[in-house]
């Protein structure tokens, strides 16, 4: 098993339950485990009945489990503030106010949340030396795929910006006359240094996602969930991201054989429909089905979390 493990899928399928159960399984097996929630819903606190912040906190009742919840809004605000500070140090004071205005407008633009989250995402991966396993409870499929696509998109964009900046500085250096010092130099240029740092971050993220990570998709036994999972698998494959398995969650338990009331007949029909979806998943989808989890009567927490963990055929 790779160090970084991601659980994704359609909204509401039970990603938090499954990722928490897997983190429980790793921690109780003796691995120092960090559970990271990037889902804005942040249900991790409900599973463990404990509030978490943006910094890792030890989960009560465990010796080897820590958890954190990344707040997208907070990350966007801090990300934009950092951009303001960086630009403010590098531009003329006369345009600082205009830059601040443009950055504020960027707060609500498409991609702002993903870019901010991605920076925090990289920090978590870089600063994870003390953990044996890092488990990510991700946002619904669309947001997660946009997030995981950023290394490919932004690395090429950074390359183009870096090339333009180096050309610009080169022209300024050539404009120096006689003994005059060039107005700008590529040596120590803060913008070039910043762009190279960003490029290194994207290269690190791309390499980590492809070579040190594994992805699992959680789905429910219904047609909509299967179709979205099928599309998600295609998207992961296009991005060369390894899907290690599928988790079928929230199956209806079968009624006892002697029960024959209206409710029992409904349940049997429901079970038959769901089992057909399970069979389709096993025969038509490429990744293996690593767990088939029935719906519990109570919320999955405490001892029930351990039960779900035992049903996950995912190595630690």
């Amino acid at each position: 098993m790779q160090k970084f493990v991601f659980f994704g899928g359609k909204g509401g399928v039970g990603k938090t339950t499954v990722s928490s159960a897997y983190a429980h399984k790793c921690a109780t097996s003796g691995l120092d485990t960090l559970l990271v929630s990037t889902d804005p819903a942040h249900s991790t606190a409900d599973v463990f009945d404990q509030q978490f912040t943006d910094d890792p906190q030890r989960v009560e009742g465990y010796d080897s489990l820590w958890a954190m919840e990344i707040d997208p809004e907070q990350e966007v605000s801090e990300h934009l503030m950092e951009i303001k500070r960086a630009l403010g140090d590098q531009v003329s004071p006369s345009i600082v106010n205009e830059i601040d205005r443009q950055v504020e407008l960027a707060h609500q633009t498409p991609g702002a949340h993903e870019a901010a989250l991605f920076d925090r995402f990289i920090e978590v991966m870089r600063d994870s030396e003390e953990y044996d396993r890092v488990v990510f409870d991700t946002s619904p499929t669309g947001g997660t795929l946009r997030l995981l696509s950023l290394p490919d998109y932004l690395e090429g964009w950074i390359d183009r910006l870096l090339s333009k900046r180096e050309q610009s500085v080169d022209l300024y250096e050539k404009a120096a006359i006689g003994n005059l010092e060039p107005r700008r130099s590529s040596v120590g240029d803060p913008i070039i240094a910043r762009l190279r740092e960003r490029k290194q971050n994207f290269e690190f993220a791309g390499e980590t996602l492809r070579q040190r990570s594994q992805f699992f998709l959680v789905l429910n036994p219904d047609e909509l969930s299967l179709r979205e999972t099928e599309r998600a698998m295609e998207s992961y494959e296009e991005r060369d991201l390894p899907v290690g398995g599928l988790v079928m969650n929230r199956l209806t338990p079968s009624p006892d054989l002697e029960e024959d009331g209206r409710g029992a007949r409904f349940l049997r029909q429901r079970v038959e429909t769901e089992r057909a979806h399970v069979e389709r998943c096993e025969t038509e989808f490429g990744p293996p089905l690593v767990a088939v989890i029935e719906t519990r009567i109570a919320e999955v927490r405490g001892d029930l979390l351990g039960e779900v963990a035992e049903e996950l055929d995912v190595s630690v």
Side-chain angles (χ1 to χ4, degrees):
M1 177 56 65
Q2 301 289 357
K3 176 170 183 174
F4 302 101
V5 181
F6 294 77
F7 287 91
K10 185 174 176 290
V13 295
K15 297 183 297 296
T16 298
T17 298
V18 175
S19 58
S20 298
Y22 180 66
H24 166 95
K25 182 175 182 177
C26 292
T28 54
S29 297
L31 297 180
D32 286 340
T33 304
L34 174 63
L35 175 61
V36 183
S37 172
T38 63
D39 189 342
H42 287 326
S43 300
T44 308
D46 299 325
V47 173
F48 294 102
D49 196 23
Q50 179 182 344
Q51 293 301 311
F52 300 107
T53 65
D54 187 58
D55 296 313
Q57 294 175 247
R58 189 185 295 274
V59 179
E60 296 171 1
Y62 293 85
D63 294 327
S64 303
L65 181 59
W66 290 259
M68 61 185 291
E69 293 180 337
I70 298 177
D71 184 346
E73 283 298 330
Q74 177 182 336
E75 292 304 322
V76 170
S77 298
E78 293 180 359
H79 180 73
L80 295 179
M81 186 60 67
E82 174 60 26
I83 292 175
K84 286 183 181 181
R85 284 196 295 265
L87 290 175
D89 293 338
Q90 298 163 18
V91 300
S92 168
S94 62
I95 63 171
V96 168
N97 290 338
E98 178 61 21
I99 286 177
D100 287 349
R101 191 178 75 84
Q102 294 296 332
V103 170
E104 287 298 329
L105 290 174
H107 185 93
Q108 300 300 330
T109 57
H113 281 68
E114 285 83 0
L117 275 176
F118 196 71
D119 280 355
R120 186 70 178 102
F121 179 78
I122 292 174
E123 286 181 17
V124 170
M125 291 193 294
R126 281 195 183 278
D127 298 338
S128 63
E129 293 87 356
E130 62 188 287
Y131 303 106
D132 301 309
R133 187 67 39 77
V134 182
V135 182
F136 287 91
D137 170 26
T138 67
S139 58
T141 304
T144 298
L145 286 173
R146 287 194 298 273
L147 183 69
L148 298 178
S149 298
L150 284 177
D152 290 335
Y153 293 138
L154 294 185
E155 192 174 338
W157 178 66
I158 287 290
D159 282 337
R160 291 190 292 273
L161 286 178
L162 189 55
S163 174
K164 294 295 184 183
R165 180 62 180 178
E166 289 172 341
Q167 290 175 22
S168 173
V169 172
D170 181 58
L171 291 174
Y172 272 104
E173 289 177 334
K174 291 176 179 177
I177 300 175
N179 294 325
L180 295 177
E181 291 293 327
R183 293 176 60 190
R184 297 181 185 175
S185 171
S186 59
V187 178
D189 181 79
I191 295 179
I192 288 180
R194 176 71 171 175
L195 290 173
R196 285 175 176 165
E197 178 187 358
R198 301 290 288 169
K199 178 177 171 60
Q200 290 173 358
N201 282 340
F202 295 138
E203 289 173 345
F204 165 80
E207 179 182 352
T208 301
L209 290 173
R210 290 182 176 87
Q211 299 183 13
R212 301 181 61 200
S213 304
Q214 195 153 23
F215 300 84
F216 293 87
L217 296 176
V218 183
L219 66 159
N220 294 156
D222 61 71
E223 187 65 26
L224 290 179
S225 188
L226 263 68
R227 288 185 180 182
E228 177 159 332
T229 300
E230 196 168 19
R231 291 191 295 269
M233 288 190 299
E234 293 173 357
S235 297
Y236 277 86
E237 184 176 354
E238 290 171 0
R239 293 164 175 81
D240 196 25
L241 299 175
V243 177
L246 306 175
V247 178
M248 185 71 79
N249 190 35
R250 294 179 180 163
L251 272 77
T252 303
S254 300
D256 293 335
L257 293 175
E258 65 272 13
E259 296 181 10
D260 195 37
R262 180 169 176 268
R265 291 194 297 272
F266 168 82
L267 287 177
R268 287 194 180 92
Q269 291 177 357
R270 178 66 188 171
V271 167
E272 184 178 347
T273 300
E274 292 179 356
R275 292 301 182 269
H277 289 313
V278 172
E279 183 177 348
R280 177 186 165 194
C281 186
E282 291 176 324
T283 58
E284 297 183 15
F285 291 6
L289 196 60
V290 296
V292 177
I293 303 170
E294 289 190 345
T295 300
R296 265 52 179 188
I297 296 175
E299 297 294 328
V300 177
R301 58 176 68 178
D303 293 339
L304 288 180
L305 193 64
E307 290 183 13
V308 174
E310 291 178 1
E311 296 179 24
L312 288 173
D313 187 17
V314 181
S315 60
V316 296

